[in-house]
Amino acid sequence: MDIEEDIRSLQLDSAEDNNGVVNAEDGRPEEVEKSDKMDEDPKQDVEAEPKAVEAEPKVKDKEVPSVQDEEDEPEMTKRHLNVVFIGHVDAGKSTTGGQILFLSGQVDERTIQKYEKEAKDKSRESWYMAYIMDTNEEERVKGKTVEVGRAHFETETTRFTILDAPGHKSYVPNMISGASQADIGVLVISARKGEFETGYERGGQTREHVQLAKTLGVSKLLVVVNKMDEPTVQWSKERYDEIESKMVPFLKQSGYNVKKDVLFLPISGLMGANMKTRVDKSVCPWWNGPCLFEALDAIEVPLRDPNGPFRMPIIDKFKDMGTVVMGKVESGSVREGDSLLVMPNKDPVKVVAIFIDEDRVKRAGPGENLRIRLSGVEEEDILSGFVLSSVANPIPAVTEFVAQLVILELLDNAIFTAGYKAVLHIHSVVEECEIVELLQQIDTKTKKPMKKKVLFVKNGAVVVCRVQVNNSICIEKFSDFPQLGRFTLRTEGKTVAVGKVTGL
């Protein structure tokens, strides 16, 4: 046992030295003793199923060292990324998402056969893969995604959460809430004759989704050209090149660095071709690039700061043995027992339990989608858009802020001037707002402010203005927290402007 104790203490020491996420107090002696006891009883490992969390204190103790060890040795844990599937209605987003879950073993053959039969009964044979993601009856009958579907899968190096965003223009607000939680985007484009064109033309969702994704902080984009097996396409290189050549200028215009942040690849979502394994040369002789899983694995995303002030915008809440809130950690880390504030109401709360997917964990870092059970606050006192934040450094709550806006496309005959009203979407906040004052216009060529006073601006202009909202909202300056400082303005179901918060 002595040798094991020595090894254990060495591990704890090295974890503290390596500036990891672990704090000095992590190596508390009682935890070391506990973990030694665990070492004596290997059966404990098997018992520590998430189901047994509530059952016996022994198992709870077991969780401390196991979670902790994972954090001590970062190479052991897989990184976690949120992927949002975006694109025009009917491009095959849900089908592609369903196929990914099937190929990664999240859905078994029998379930697929059940869905296949169900789809056949509705004379919708080709929709069966989409049923994996589209779970409610309305979505299945119409073949349209309404809610943002969520699912999980893993590759060699990464755990992914899929966010399947609706493509239909009536549900863009839902798509915004999906994309605001994402790290990377998969833009699904249909190669079928006519379908790409419809999505890409003015008013098509391909354009709006790309612009929104960029604004909402989806910095990396995989553009998958789907339905390559379609009779009108038949893996044609000409069709693929045509789509790529049309998309590249538009992606550049939307702010993407196409060389660094965008990757195109052909797939068939329905048949699963070029998804988990590379497409066969006999099917597509010209493609030498990666398959979808390889491309997802290889994506590099900027690291977030686990030691920064804690910030978790709340996207949903419900009652379950207390108040449970859901959201994605944008900065900082959280552990069981932490005291936090629910902003903007400044309600002090205590973290009772933390869940990632179905598993209860002792602590979690940035980028994770969590469900956190809180004590000290009632469920009805929390609204979607509130932010769980650290007590020492709470998130600012404001009713007015200064922002730099890019005007995309105003409604016909509308003028963008003081008094302009729109709906503001920023992280999980949806709030009506009014432009109180235009401060200066920015010259798009020189990027410098123009001298003359500005009273109104048109499409394509970049303008700095003061924005006012009715209720207090939690936001950050873009320069401090990009995820909590970029927003979109929408009017009558259209995105009219995108912007970033420059002053509070």
Side-chain angles (χ1 to χ4, degrees):
M1 267 319 292
D2 293 349
I3 298 168
E4 284 189 29
E5 260 173 44
D6 289 345
I7 293 171
R8 178 72 58 183
S9 62
L10 279 170
Q11 280 177 342
L12 287 166
D13 289 344
S14 66
E16 285 158 27
D17 295 342
N18 70 4
N19 295 333
V21 190
V22 186
N23 293 341
E25 73 226 42
D26 283 356
R28 286 195 292 266
E30 69 261 34
E31 288 183 12
V32 179
E33 281 167 32
K34 277 180 206 156
S35 50
D36 284 341
K37 285 192 191 109
M38 297 307 155
D39 290 349
E40 289 166 14
D41 183 2
K43 278 189 292 204
Q44 254 2 113
D45 270 296
V46 184
E47 285 170 28
E49 284 296 314
K51 279 182 227 131
V53 168
E54 310 294 353
E56 51 209 77
K58 264 199 308 201
V59 179
K60 272 196 182 172
D61 289 353
K62 166 65 191 139
E63 284 185 0
V64 180
S66 73
V67 174
Q68 180 183 320
D69 287 351
E70 278 181 36
E71 302 243 359
D72 288 358
E73 300 163 18
E75 66 275 7
M76 294 295 289
T77 59
K78 292 187 177 184
R79 63 179 186 156
H80 175 257
L81 290 181
N82 289 317
V83 190
V84 66
F85 279 73
I86 56 175
H88 193 64
V89 63
D90 273 350
K93 296 181 293 298
S94 300
T95 298
T96 305
Q99 184 66 260
I100 286 177
L101 294 180
F102 174 57
L103 291 172
S104 58
Q106 303 297 315
V107 182
D108 59 17
E109 193 71 52
R110 273 177 55 193
T111 312
I112 294 283
Q113 285 165 357
K114 186 183 104 194
Y115 290 154
E116 217 166 337
K117 181 178 177 309
E118 204 175 309
K120 223 177 221 138
D121 294 345
K122 294 185 174 136
S123 318
R124 297 277 189 256
E125 283 90 340
S126 66
W127 288 1
Y128 71 95
M129 274 292 172
Y131 283 10
I132 299 172
M133 294 301 295
D134 291 344
T135 46
N136 76 24
E137 200 44 44
E138 179 196 1
E139 293 181 322
R140 290 184 177 182
V141 172
K142 291 185 181 164
K144 280 184 195 145
T145 304
V146 178
E147 296 294 326
V148 175
R150 280 172 172 275
H152 312 279
F153 75 99
E154 296 191 12
T155 57
E156 295 293 309
T157 61
T158 314
R159 288 184 300 122
F160 289 99
T161 298
I162 298 180
L163 303 159
D164 175 30
H168 200 274
K169 62 150 92 43
S170 324
Y171 306 123
V172 168
N174 294 359
M175 176 266 163
I176 290 176
S177 84
S180 66
Q181 305 157 46
D183 303 291
I184 52 180
V186 174
L187 173 64
V188 184
I189 289 177
S190 166
R192 183 184 280 162
K193 273 226 170 353
E195 282 190 6
F196 163 66
E197 287 71 12
T198 315
Y200 180 66
E201 279 157 17
R202 286 177 82 101
Q205 258 32 66
T206 303
R207 283 170 173 270
E208 186 174 20
H209 277 196
V210 167
Q211 287 167 331
L212 284 173
K214 182 64 189 163
T215 321
L216 294 163
V218 178
S219 56
K220 306 277 181 177
L221 208 55
L222 282 181
V223 183
V224 299
V225 181
N226 188 20
K227 307 194 186 181
M228 289 297 289
D229 58 326
E230 227 272 325
T232 61
V233 187
Q234 297 186 329
W235 294 93
S236 143
K237 184 172 187 335
E238 290 69 35
R239 178 63 168 160
Y240 176 82
D241 289 346
E242 175 196 356
I243 289 172
E244 187 170 349
S245 66
K246 282 188 179 160
M247 284 305 296
V248 165
F250 175 66
L251 289 165
K252 281 185 179 155
Q253 182 195 326
S254 302
Y256 280 100
N257 176 336
V258 177
K259 283 198 173 70
K260 255 179 48 195
D261 298 333
V262 179
L263 177 68
F264 283 80
L265 72 164
I267 65 161
S268 160
L270 188 61
M271 307 317 292
N274 206 34
M275 289 180 67
K276 191 175 184 183
T277 49
R278 294 190 181 196
V279 60
D280 202 288
K281 285 282 183 232
S282 62
V283 177
C284 180
W286 50 269
W287 179 250
N288 297 315
C291 62
L292 181 60
F293 278 35
E294 291 171 333
L296 284 168
D297 254 350
I299 281 185
E300 292 293 326
V301 293
L303 292 168
R304 290 188 181 78
D305 181 10
N307 300 321
F310 185 69
R311 299 281 185 271
M312 186 182 102
I314 294 168
I315 53 170
D316 207 355
K317 41 108 196 221
F318 54 90
K319 271 195 166 80
D320 175 19
M321 294 163 48
T323 301
V324 179
V325 294
M326 286 169 66
K328 174 183 163 199
V329 181
E330 294 295 0
S331 156
S333 307
V334 62
R335 347 163 131 246
E336 236 175 64
D338 275 359
S339 296
L340 298 171
L341 284 179
V342 176
M343 297 293 288
N345 290 357
K346 298 198 171 77
D347 289 331
V349 292
K350 205 168 173 75
V351 175
V352 181
I354 305 168
F355 297 89
I356 297 178
D357 303 342
E358 298 310 310
D359 305 333
R360 184 166 175 173
V361 294
K362 288 288 175 191
R363 61 148 162 246
E368 290 287 0
N369 295 339
L370 304 181
R371 295 200 315 279
I372 299 183
R373 186 175 294 136
L374 301 171
S375 65
V377 69
E378 287 304 316
E379 181 246 356
E380 52 269 19
D381 296 335
I382 295 177
L383 295 174
S384 152
F386 282 13
V387 177
L388 210 50
S389 83
S390 62
V391 179
N393 186 344
I395 187 168
V398 298
T399 51
E400 194 173 291
F401 59 93
V402 176
Q404 181 177 317
L405 276 178
V406 182
I407 312 298
L408 297 176
E409 200 176 341
L410 296 168
L411 298 180
D412 300 341
N413 308 330
I415 300 174
F416 194 85
T417 177
Y420 186 91
K421 289 187 168 67
V423 178
L424 167 80
H425 292 260
I426 182 162
H427 61 86
S428 52
V429 171
V430 181
E431 193 64 60
E432 286 191 2
C433 71
E434 182 178 339
I435 307 300
V436 204
E437 181 187 4
L438 302 189
L439 301 171
Q440 51 192 183
Q441 191 168 350
I442 307 278
D443 186 325
T444 46
K445 291 196 179 74
T446 63
K447 303 273 191 284
K448 294 204 168 93
M450 295 181 185
K451 291 243 164 60
K452 67 172 205 264
K453 183 101 178 90
V454 57
L455 293 173
F456 66 91
V457 290
K458 300 195 184 111
N459 289 346
V462 179
V463 62
V464 178
C465 53
R466 278 216 336 264
V467 185
Q468 198 173 48
V469 286
N470 303 334
N471 301 309
S472 190
I473 60 170
C474 297
I475 56 174
E476 293 273 10
K477 285 197 334 213
F478 180 82
S479 50
D480 300 339
F481 284 91
Q483 299 89 348
L484 304 173
R486 39 166 101 77
F487 62 90
T488 52
L489 293 184
R490 304 190 81 237
T491 306
E492 292 179 30
K494 265 181 77 166
T495 302
V496 290
V498 296
K500 54 187 183 185
V501 178
T502 54
L504 297 174

